[in-house]
Amino acid sequence: MVAMKDKLSTDSYKGVRDFYPEEQYIQDYIFFVWEHTLESFGYEKYNASVLEPTELYRAKSGEEIVNEQTYQFIDRGDREVTLRPEMTPTVARLVAKRRRDLTLPVRWYSIPNLFRYERPQRGRLREHWQLNADMFGSTSIEADVEMIELAATILKNFGLNDTQYEIRINDLQALQQTLSEAGLNDIEAHQYRKLLDKKDKMSDFDEQAERLLGRPFTLTLAPSEAIETVIAKLHQRRIANVRFVPSLVRGFDYYTGLVFEVFSTDPTNNRSLFGGGRYDNLTSLFDDTPMPAVGFGMGDVTTRDVLETYNLLPPYKPTTAVSLCVLNDAFYDLAAELAQELRLEGLNVSLDVSGKKIGEQITKANKRGVPFIIAIGDDEAASDTFVVKHMATGVEKKCKRRKIAAFVKKATTR
Amino acid sequence: MVAMKDKLSTDSYKGVRDFYPEEQYIQDYIFFVWEHTLESFGYEKYNASVLEPTELYRAKSGEEIVNEQTYQFIDRGDREVTLRPEMTPTVARLVAKRRRDLTLPVRWYSIPNLFRYERPQRGRLREHWQLNADMFGSTSIEADVEMIELAATILKNFGLNDTQYEIRINDLQALQQTLSEAGLNDIEAHQYRKLLDKKDKMSDFDEQAERLLGRPFTLTLAPSEAIETVIAKLHQRRIANVRFVPSLVRGFDYYTGLVFEVFSTDPTNNRSLFGGGRYDNLTSLFDDTPMPAVGFGMGDVTTRDVLETYNLLPPYKPTTAVSLCVLNDAFYDLAAELAQELRLEGLNVSLDVSGKKIGEQITKANKRGVPFIIAIGDDEAASDTFVVKHMATGVEKKCKRRKIAAFVKKATTR
């Protein structure tokens, strides 16, 4: 016998998750709501590899971020490769590559896994999945409004009501203009914007702003015409929990127009959930032809957290609708035949191949949460009639073989 | 203006694929058939990260394979990390970790992306996706039969008939016993098995075998009792295109019992599609408790190829069912309201925000293949009545607002 110290650990790599069926069930539910909602707005799915040339990120983010927060390595052909930390550079690459063939505007979404090298903590793992929704090729304010409507519809489809979250919006173009009119030069404006991004975490924002600019400065920003239009249009679409917040700038430098961010209003978990905005310099890494874009990203970890907070996660249910249990080996062929028939009628059917006693087979199926059980022995084989037991109600229904599927479907929808 | 030489290439990393909506549509179709079929047999989905500790592969495959065919690197915490080249070590890790909590046997599936560092060529990219279907915890021959039935059902659900492929099976335990009885020691038997694996590509197999063993040796193998049972049971389940092939050994050393491999019978593309078998040493890397397993893997690239060969790929259809076109900006709010209503009735609806002339909007929607178009202008706003145009038939139907969804659904199912 090999000593235990020669055996490998069963732990995953640090900071990533294993998805056993119970966890995958939640993941699939979140992905399903994302896909369903995005497709209901006419968005189409795209994807790409998690591996990208490193230059894609170096160009945009500057050396520092590439070196410290991304997974990168050199491949055997001396290529620099990165595990994508975000999807936007990838989708910009795809759009730039086929820009001549695309009938603009296009609506696209993807649910990529993204990697960041950082200390694992709540909501900030090394790998997470993120819905990316974008519209390319439209400068219309209708595109900005649609993004926010889409975000609100996703939350509605997850079961949130509009008192449970708030949408904050700002107009970065108007902000930029105000700062410029107040006499801030480009560098000062950039730094002031960076400071604004951290405003909520500061008690001494005004002093810090004064120190930065060398003079007192208080931002007084009325909502721009664009902001007023967006809010009015969202009200018309029955989205009222939206508020102009002039200090909202989002963390990225690439936003160029309207931005929004969705916050939970739950007092125990009152935090930013996700956000996005307009970024009209999308494809400038690849060519000089303008490509307006508006979009947002929404992560699986944050989504799961907020659904947990509001008790909106669906209870786990196994795939199987019917478990077929057999008295002994002689009944496997009949059971397999019946399974085939029920599958053709759209039911998910598993066959117990454990060889255990029939009582144990039934106990096991019940423990797994399989809703219907059929035991197969001599009587069933002789009469071609089966007893279908609905575990939730205890109802046992004697069915001719051809009637089983109809009974199960009816009992399920009831 | 920045010179073009400063711009990045829009190419993906070498040997991986971009999935534009048209390609993703095919990918989603393949994944859907896999998921649907697996769940109809009661299999549940699991997943894990593409990143795994390198030791997981080194232990099993030996240094050579780890060094030359896998993507591996050292992370910033000095951990050796590998991009998974196959899913079996990962699922073995998951099963070993929770073996006490699992009610065996369990049926699991996953559709991971896998990485291999190799020269890109037809069907052998650096990244591909692979269905992995496994049953853990059963030594019953019913489990072996189910795996082959599952494989055949997947192909049937893709639209293949049973003259288009053939299932070859062999019994590696019986083969091992025959070789042992013929006087081959363990090393000779291992080498002979390796030679057998390449038999189809050799013209001089018998001479090579003689050179290997130092004496003439011809394998005469009758089907084992297990093989005969499996074939009989598959016939009973209406799977007749199955054949005993004593030279079938599969490429991996870990198979311990029955193995199978599915071959296309198309003369222009007559090749191995996928396969699997029994591997009862699954969790021995992690502990000494036996864990019988039977399973198979099926790749997306090969699957797409065979569906193309047999002309079974579905034609691309856009997500959108209805495109709403507006006469001018004044009608966006009405269009958005109508879109909201139609989405609640289950239709995928997109709103044209291009600001182009209405004729151009209709042309564009038609070019995209959107099946229904509604143009919104003064008459529609005043009368609350809309003309729905079904592009495939040219039929134009005047509908009251509340009747639109019903008309579209009826015209779609016809």
Side-chain angles (χ1 to χ4, degrees):
Chain A
M1 188 178 141
V2 182
M4 279 308 285
K5 65 176 159 53
D6 292 319
K7 297 297 182 180
L8 293 184
S9 159
T10 55
D11 290 342
S12 70
Y13 171 65
K14 185 171 178 167
V16 304
R17 290 165 291 169
D18 290 330
F19 294 91
Y20 285 84
E22 292 77 7
E23 288 103 35
Q24 186 63 38
Y25 185 82
I26 298 295
Q27 196 78 345
D28 279 349
Y29 169 72
I30 291 172
F31 289 10
F32 171 78
V33 172
W34 283 345
E35 293 183 358
H36 170 81
T37 310
L38 269 290
E39 298 195 351
S40 78
F41 277 74
Y43 286 67
E44 300 196 273
K45 209 202 292 188
Y46 69 94
N47 199 7
S49 176
V50 71
L51 294 188
E52 285 282 4
T54 298
E55 59 173 11
L56 191 57
Y57 309 101
R58 182 176 292 131
K60 190 181 133 283
S61 325
E63 287 288 342
E64 191 191 1
I65 288 179
V66 166
N67 285 338
E68 291 183 11
Q69 291 209 336
T70 67
Y71 277 92
Q72 56 167 327
F73 61 94
I74 313 276
D75 79 6
R76 297 173 207 282
D78 270 342
R79 286 183 186 79
E80 293 183 279
V81 197
T82 292
L83 298 181
R84 63 183 168 213
E86 50 162 335
M87 198 61 170
T88 303
T90 297
V91 76
R93 185 173 66 67
L94 267 65
V95 167
K97 184 162 195 162
R98 292 210 185 155
R99 66 184 312 150
R100 278 160 218 269
D101 306 321
L102 294 172
T103 309
L104 298 176
V106 293
R107 292 172 165 92
W108 281 5
Y109 79 94
S110 191
I111 307 178
N113 54 337
L114 307 175
F115 286 88
R116 280 184 194 267
Y117 193 88
E118 53 188 335
R119 187 185 298 275
Q121 51 174 294
R122 181 177 159 90
R124 298 293 280 176
L125 293 160
R126 290 185 175 181
E127 179 185 30
H128 78 292
W129 275 256
Q130 188 187 62
L131 168 67
N132 278 252
D134 296 279
M135 195 194 305
F136 306 104
S138 172
T139 54
S140 169
I141 200 159
E142 286 297 325
D144 300 79
V145 173
E146 177 170 305
M147 279 299 145
I148 299 172
E149 185 186 5
L150 190 46
T153 307
I154 290 171
L155 294 175
K156 188 181 169 195
N157 288 346
F158 274 125
L160 273 78
N161 65 52
D162 54 12
T163 66
Q164 293 177 317
Y165 67 95
E166 175 187 70
I167 302 162
R168 302 183 188 167
I169 64 173
N170 194 16
D171 181 341
L172 295 187
Q173 205 179 356
L175 172 67
Q176 192 64 33
Q177 201 180 326
T178 303
L179 296 178
S180 165
E181 283 166 10
L184 276 65
N185 65 34
D186 280 358
I187 295 167
E188 285 173 338
H190 180 79
Q191 288 178 324
Y192 185 80
R193 211 173 120 168
K194 274 196 158 174
L195 199 65
L196 262 185
D197 194 31
K198 297 179 206 139
K199 189 175 181 223
D200 285 351
K201 293 169 193 148
M202 290 176 188
S203 54
D204 59 343
F205 174 77
D206 285 334
E207 289 106 83
Q208 290 218 32
E210 184 170 344
R211 204 172 313 141
L212 179 72
L213 302 173
R215 61 188 183 276
F217 177 75
T218 306
L219 183 70
T220 47
L221 205 63
S224 66
E225 200 188 317
I227 289 285
E228 284 183 339
T229 304
V230 166
I231 290 178
K233 281 181 172 284
L234 288 170
H235 279 196
Q236 186 120 16
R237 297 178 196 191
R238 296 190 194 82
I239 297 164
N241 52 343
V242 52
R243 188 160 67 90
F244 167 56
V245 175
S247 66
L248 181 73
V249 293
R250 306 272 305 146
F252 286 90
D253 279 340
Y254 55 60
Y255 289 110
T256 55
L258 288 180
V259 291
F260 72 94
E261 196 158 345
V262 177
F263 286 76
S264 164
T265 52
D266 181 77
T268 65
N269 198 10
N270 178 358
R271 61 192 184 107
S272 167
L273 302 178
F274 65 100
R278 178 169 287 280
Y279 49 112
D280 285 346
N281 302 325
L282 178 73
T283 56
S284 61
L285 283 180
F286 308 99
D287 58 52
D288 290 315
T289 314
M291 176 57 76
V294 54
F296 66 89
M298 184 175 182
D300 67 327
V301 180
T302 318
T303 300
R304 193 182 165 140
D305 276 357
V306 74
L307 295 182
E308 232 160 20
T309 302
Y310 289 131
N311 202 19
L312 291 170
L313 284 175
Y316 170 73
K317 279 196 313 189
T319 309
T320 314
V322 182
S323 180
L324 301 182
C325 306
V326 293
L327 191 66
N328 63 49
D329 288 9
F331 300 102
Y332 278 132
D333 291 341
L334 173 58
E337 204 178 295
L338 179 59
Q340 233 178 37
E341 290 165 13
L342 296 177
R343 284 174 197 138
L344 284 176
E345 301 217 48
L347 295 182
N348 296 340
V349 181
S350 74
L351 178 55
D352 192 307
V353 298
S354 67
K356 297 262 162 83
K357 284 189 181 148
I358 198 150
E360 281 183 66
Q361 295 177 44
I362 293 171
T363 304
K364 206 172 57 183
N366 197 27
K367 189 179 155 192
R368 276 200 177 126
V370 178
F372 297 90
I373 293 172
I374 300 174
I376 301 172
D378 298 290
D379 289 353
E380 288 76 14
S383 65
D384 214 31
T385 302
F386 300 82
V387 176
V388 186
K389 183 164 185 183
H390 188 194
M391 301 308 282
T393 58
V395 168
E396 295 194 355
K397 169 85 176 173
K398 212 166 187 174
C399 293
K400 282 308 251 180
R401 191 154 153 175
R402 301 208 172 278
K403 305 278 188 180
I404 296 172
F407 168 72
V408 168
K409 286 181 202 169
K410 204 173 154 195
T412 307
T413 51
R414 210 159 27 195
Chain B
M1 191 177 141
V2 181
M4 279 310 283
K5 67 176 158 52
D6 292 321
K7 296 296 181 182
L8 293 184
S9 159
T10 55
D11 290 342
S12 71
Y13 171 65
K14 185 172 179 167
V16 303
R17 290 166 289 168
D18 290 330
F19 295 90
Y20 285 84
E22 293 78 6
E23 289 102 35
Q24 186 63 38
Y25 185 82
I26 298 295
Q27 196 78 345
D28 279 350
Y29 169 71
I30 291 172
F31 289 8
F32 171 79
V33 172
W34 283 345
E35 294 183 358
H36 170 80
T37 311
L38 269 289
E39 298 196 351
S40 80
F41 277 74
Y43 286 67
E44 300 195 273
K45 209 201 291 186
Y46 69 93
N47 199 8
S49 176
V50 71
L51 295 188
E52 285 282 4
T54 298
E55 60 172 11
L56 190 58
Y57 309 100
R58 183 177 292 131
K60 190 181 135 282
S61 324
E63 287 287 342
E64 191 191 0
I65 290 179
V66 167
N67 286 339
E68 292 184 9
Q69 291 209 336
T70 67
Y71 277 91
Q72 55 167 326
F73 60 94
I74 313 275
D75 79 7
R76 297 172 207 281
D78 270 340
R79 285 183 186 79
E80 293 184 280
V81 198
T82 291
L83 297 182
R84 65 183 167 212
E86 48 163 333
M87 198 60 170
T88 303
T90 297
V91 75
R93 184 173 66 67
L94 267 66
V95 167
K97 184 162 194 160
R98 293 212 184 153
R99 67 184 311 148
R100 280 160 216 269
D101 306 320
L102 295 171
T103 309
L104 298 175
V106 293
R107 291 171 165 95
W108 282 3
Y109 80 95
S110 191
I111 307 177
N113 54 337
L114 307 175
F115 287 88
R116 280 184 194 267
Y117 193 89
E118 53 189 336
R119 187 184 299 274
Q121 50 176 292
R122 182 179 158 88
R124 297 291 281 175
L125 293 160
R126 290 184 175 183
E127 178 185 31
H128 78 293
W129 275 256
Q130 187 186 61
L131 169 67
N132 278 252
D134 295 279
M135 195 194 306
F136 307 104
S138 172
T139 54
S140 169
I141 200 160
E142 287 297 326
D144 299 80
V145 174
E146 178 169 306
M147 279 299 146
I148 299 173
E149 185 185 5
L150 191 46
T153 307
I154 289 171
L155 293 175
K156 189 181 168 195
N157 288 346
F158 274 125
L160 274 78
N161 65 53
D162 55 12
T163 68
Q164 292 177 316
Y165 68 96
E166 176 186 71
I167 302 161
R168 302 182 188 167
I169 64 172
N170 193 17
D171 180 342
L172 295 187
Q173 204 179 356
L175 171 67
Q176 192 64 33
Q177 199 180 326
T178 303
L179 296 178
S180 165
E181 283 167 9
L184 276 65
N185 63 34
D186 281 358
I187 294 166
E188 287 173 337
H190 180 79
Q191 288 179 322
Y192 185 81
R193 211 174 121 168
K194 275 195 155 175
L195 199 65
L196 262 184
D197 193 32
K198 297 178 206 140
K199 190 176 180 220
D200 285 351
K201 293 169 193 148
M202 290 178 188
S203 54
D204 59 344
F205 175 77
D206 284 334
E207 290 107 82
Q208 289 219 31
E210 184 170 343
R211 203 172 313 139
L212 178 73
L213 302 173
R215 60 187 185 279
F217 176 74
T218 305
L219 183 71
T220 48
L221 204 63
S224 65
E225 201 189 315
I227 289 285
E228 286 184 337
T229 303
V230 166
I231 290 177
K233 280 181 173 283
L234 288 170
H235 280 196
Q236 185 119 16
R237 297 179 196 190
R238 297 190 194 81
I239 296 164
N241 53 343
V242 53
R243 188 160 67 88
F244 167 57
V245 175
S247 67
L248 180 73
V249 293
R250 305 274 301 148
F252 286 89
D253 280 341
Y254 56 60
Y255 289 110
T256 56
L258 289 180
V259 291
F260 72 94
E261 195 157 345
V262 178
F263 286 76
S264 163
T265 54
D266 181 78
T268 66
N269 197 10
N270 178 357
R271 62 190 181 108
S272 168
L273 301 179
F274 67 100
R278 178 168 287 283
Y279 50 111
D280 285 346
N281 302 326
L282 177 73
T283 55
S284 61
L285 283 179
F286 307 99
D287 57 54
D288 290 315
T289 314
M291 175 58 75
V294 53
F296 66 89
M298 183 174 183
D300 67 326
V301 181
T302 318
T303 300
R304 192 181 166 142
D305 277 358
V306 74
L307 296 182
E308 229 158 23
T309 302
Y310 289 130
N311 202 19
L312 291 170
L313 284 176
Y316 169 73
K317 279 196 313 188
T319 309
T320 313
V322 182
S323 181
L324 301 183
C325 305
V326 292
L327 192 67
N328 62 51
D329 289 9
F331 299 101
Y332 278 132
D333 291 340
L334 172 59
E337 203 179 296
L338 179 59
Q340 234 178 34
E341 288 165 15
L342 296 177
R343 284 173 197 139
L344 284 176
E345 302 217 48
L347 296 181
N348 295 339
V349 181
S350 74
L351 178 56
D352 192 309
V353 298
S354 67
K356 297 262 163 82
K357 284 188 182 149
I358 198 149
E360 281 184 66
Q361 295 176 43
I362 293 171
T363 305
K364 205 173 56 181
N366 196 28
K367 189 178 157 196
R368 277 200 178 126
V370 178
F372 297 89
I373 292 171
I374 300 175
I376 299 172
D378 297 290
D379 289 354
E380 288 76 14
S383 66
D384 214 31
T385 302
F386 300 82
V387 176
V388 185
K389 182 164 186 181
H390 187 193
M391 302 308 282
T393 59
V395 169
E396 294 192 358
K397 169 84 176 172
K398 212 168 187 171
C399 292
K400 279 308 245 184
R401 194 153 153 178
R402 303 210 170 276
K403 304 279 189 179
I404 296 172
F407 169 72
V408 168
K409 286 181 200 169
K410 204 173 155 196
T412 307
T413 52
R414 211 162 24 200

